[in-house]
Amino acid sequence: MQIIMYLTKVFYKVGDIPIFNPLYIHAYIIHQWLLIFRSQPLPVNQKSAIIFSPHQDDETLGCGGLIALKREMGVPIKVIFLTDGQKSHTATPWIQPPENLIQVRKQEATTALHILGLEVSDIHFFNLTDSTLSHLTSEQYENTIKSIVELIRTFKPGEIYVPHRKDNHPDHECTYQFIKTAIEQLQLSLEVELLQYPIWIFWLSPLFFQLKLQYLSGAYRLPINSILEKKKQAISVYQSQYPILPPRFIKSFLEKKYEIFFKATL
Ligand SMILES: [Zn+2]
């Protein structure tokens, strides 16, 4: 077991050096290219928002700056977690015992979001099992869509944030599809804006030329420098995820002075 732990550490250390990690270079170049050439400024506005997050950490990594900026202006925000995150350490059970992982991740999410300005009552957990969103039973699927419809109907957000539709993670892409379906059922297309936040798309997309430009259209950049320290604090709460995520991946979110969002057409 100790050898596996040692090799894991070596793997992460080597992967943390940009020259040995083409994914890091790939993600960095696309991010910079979007910032400089392909995005418009996104002013913070007073529109209420729901952030749908497949796992406990996506909301803070992708929208932590947006949440903090809106909350500083007193804008109502809800964060909905689709899954309970119980499978994040399937390959590394010695780091975090599975029996208390759900509780640990919920606590981390609540603490991180409190730093960003949310109360417990603003946070909801759907408690689906992670890695199962693409093959829910029809009953689970219908209940999930129903719950999303109900939340949107009750809260009436001006904006909805979801992971990018091509985020290269089944749970992330399903989250987008679930929310799109719910919005279509509600026929809210004229009143609500749907914005996609990128988490894995630039990291796990095979190569530049396979990333179709249409997936990167409608990009907006939100400057978050003024609350970057708050976002860093919130990310650092997710200690259960640090040993299993590539260090450079986390670091890139700690350093980014802009969050990028893609407006989806409804
Ligand atoms: Zn995720």
Side-chain angles (χ1 to χ4, degrees):
M1 193 63 82
Q2 275 192 332
I3 291 174
I4 296 173
M5 287 170 76
Y6 175 74
L7 289 175
T8 307
K9 276 185 189 166
V10 170
F11 175 76
Y12 278 136
K13 284 257 186 296
V14 171
D16 206 30
I17 303 167
I19 199 163
F20 293 134
N21 191 339
L23 292 178
Y24 170 70
I25 297 167
H26 186 258
Y28 178 79
I29 291 174
I30 294 184
H31 182 79
Q32 291 304 111
W33 173 74
L34 281 167
L35 275 189
I36 298 166
F37 300 112
R38 299 280 296 192
S39 58
Q40 302 175 47
L42 181 70
V44 194
N45 59 46
Q46 290 281 352
K47 289 181 185 171
S48 59
I50 301 184
I51 286 99
F52 286 95
S53 182
H55 312 112
Q56 291 76 15
D57 68 0
D58 295 314
E59 81 302 337
T60 297
L61 295 173
C63 311
L66 173 102
I67 296 171
L69 285 167
K70 277 190 182 268
R71 286 304 302 137
E72 281 184 0
M73 293 163 61
V75 178
I77 289 188
K78 298 269 182 215
V79 173
I80 318 299
F81 292 102
L82 276 287
T83 75
D84 59 15
Q86 63 173 281
K87 290 196 169 175
S88 68
H89 290 62
T90 310
T92 54
W94 63 88
I95 296 176
Q96 187 72 51
E99 57 271 18
N100 58 7
L101 192 53
I102 294 175
Q103 211 42 48
V104 167
R105 297 198 69 180
K106 276 189 181 175
Q107 188 53 54
E108 287 175 344
T110 308
T111 308
L113 288 171
H114 183 68
I115 292 169
L116 298 175
L118 265 70
E119 300 298 329
V120 176
S121 54
D122 300 320
I123 307 165
H124 298 261
F125 297 92
F126 279 7
N127 294 316
L128 294 161
T129 305
D130 44 335
S131 307
T132 68
L133 296 192
S134 58
H135 46 277
L136 296 179
T137 63
S138 50
E139 191 188 352
Q140 283 176 315
Y141 176 79
E142 275 158 31
N143 285 340
T144 302
I145 300 294
K146 210 168 134 191
S147 302
I148 295 168
V149 165
E150 204 47 50
L151 267 162
I152 298 175
R153 186 181 278 138
T154 309
F155 190 62
K156 296 186 178 59
E159 295 173 343
I160 294 177
Y161 290 81
V162 287
H164 194 283
R165 66 189 191 280
K166 294 286 177 187
D167 209 37
N168 283 309
H169 186 303
D171 285 349
H172 289 213
E173 295 183 9
C174 284
T175 300
Y176 172 89
Q177 288 303 334
F178 293 171
I179 280 60
K180 189 98 194 302
T181 303
I183 291 174
E184 281 163 7
Q185 282 190 16
L186 281 161
Q187 299 180 319
L188 272 178
S189 52
L190 292 176
E191 290 105 36
V192 71
E193 281 192 305
L194 184 62
L195 293 109
Q196 308 163 84
Y197 57 88
I199 299 291
W200 289 109
I201 181 170
F202 309 145
W203 285 82
L204 300 182
S205 297
L207 281 171
F208 296 99
F209 61 85
Q210 283 169 298
L211 244 184
K212 292 181 183 163
L213 280 179
Q214 71 196 70
Y215 301 147
L216 304 177
S217 63
Y220 287 80
R221 60 181 184 276
L222 174 73
I224 58 165
N225 215 11
S226 63
I227 48 75
L228 191 55
E229 278 311 310
K230 224 183 234 190
K231 178 169 177 175
K232 282 183 189 174
Q233 277 179 38
I235 292 175
S236 71
V237 168
Y238 282 109
Q239 284 301 311
S240 72
Q241 301 306 295
Y242 271 69
I244 56 165
L245 291 171
R248 277 277 159 190
F249 171 79
I250 299 175
K251 205 172 172 197
S252 71
F253 287 98
L254 292 168
E255 290 172 347
K256 277 177 195 157
K257 296 184 173 72
Y258 291 87
E259 284 175 352
I260 289 181
F261 301 101
F262 300 86
K263 276 192 190 174
T265 43
L266 291 168

